[in-house]
Amino acid sequence: MRYLIRSLKYFIWFALILSITLAIMVGLGLVETDSNLMFRDGMKSIWQIAALFLVVSLVYPLTGFRKNEAIIPGEYNEVRDKVVSFMESRGYYLETEEGEIMTFRLRSKVGAFFKMLEDRVTFIKVPGGFEVEGLRKEIVRLISGLEFIFRNEANENYSKY
């Protein structure tokens, strides 16, 4: 169900961007207001563009969202506060926490809007770290930052001995 909702959101987003772009072009006098003059095949072109947007919006959620594992050594109670602090420093707040599952959302409503309200990042404790689920490019950044912090902390603790 979530997949279909995401697909619908992307379809609407693509249509909105195209509509805004065309409105700006018409407002600047760069194109005619008649769809038969605006597009080579008139209304047929609009249906072709809509079909293209539909295909892309059906495929993108499959590639744009994923789960990756973050290697963060330690028990949940030991690392929880540092993970929450890190996420808060990145503009997220802790939305829910159930057992060893934490869900974060963007604090900025503008940022969440531009991510089409798909700003949720979920951390699930697994042996050796966390499984992180969310937007692909966002979780790659977050995992990289978390692993860097915990790796440096481990190196500092090791160098003391």
Side-chain angles (χ1 to χ4, degrees), residues 4-5 10 13 19 44 49 52 60 63 68 73 75 77 92 100 108 113 122 137:
L4 291 174
I5 292 170
Y10 279 104
W13 184 256
S19 299
K44 183 179 177 185
I49 292 169
L52 175 70
Y60 184 74
T63 61
N68 276 6
E75 295 298 318
N77 294 334
Y92 287 84
E100 295 185 344
S108 165
F113 173 76
T122 304
K137 71 178 187 174

Side-chain angles (χ1 to χ4, degrees), residues 60-129:
Y60 184 74
L62 295 174
T63 61
F65 297 88
R66 69 175 300 156
K67 292 180 182 179
N68 276 6
E69 191 167 321
I71 301 170
I72 300 173
E75 295 298 318
Y76 180 79
N77 294 334
E78 298 170 355
V79 298
R80 180 212 175 271
D81 292 336
K82 290 178 186 163
V83 170
V84 171
S85 175
F86 172 81
M87 291 299 287
E88 287 176 350
S89 73
R90 295 295 195 266
Y92 287 84
Y93 68 92
L94 183 62
E95 179 185 37
T96 62
E97 183 174 13
E98 296 175 13
E100 295 185 344
I101 300 173
M102 295 183 285
T103 303
F104 295 89
R105 299 291 302 256
L106 272 176
R107 197 175 300 117
S108 165
K109 298 303 176 199
V110 174
F113 173 76
F114 282 111
K115 292 178 190 240
M116 291 183 287
L117 303 176
E118 295 290 347
D119 60 326
R120 182 175 284 121
V121 178
T122 304
F123 284 74
I124 302 168
K125 182 67 173 139
V126 295

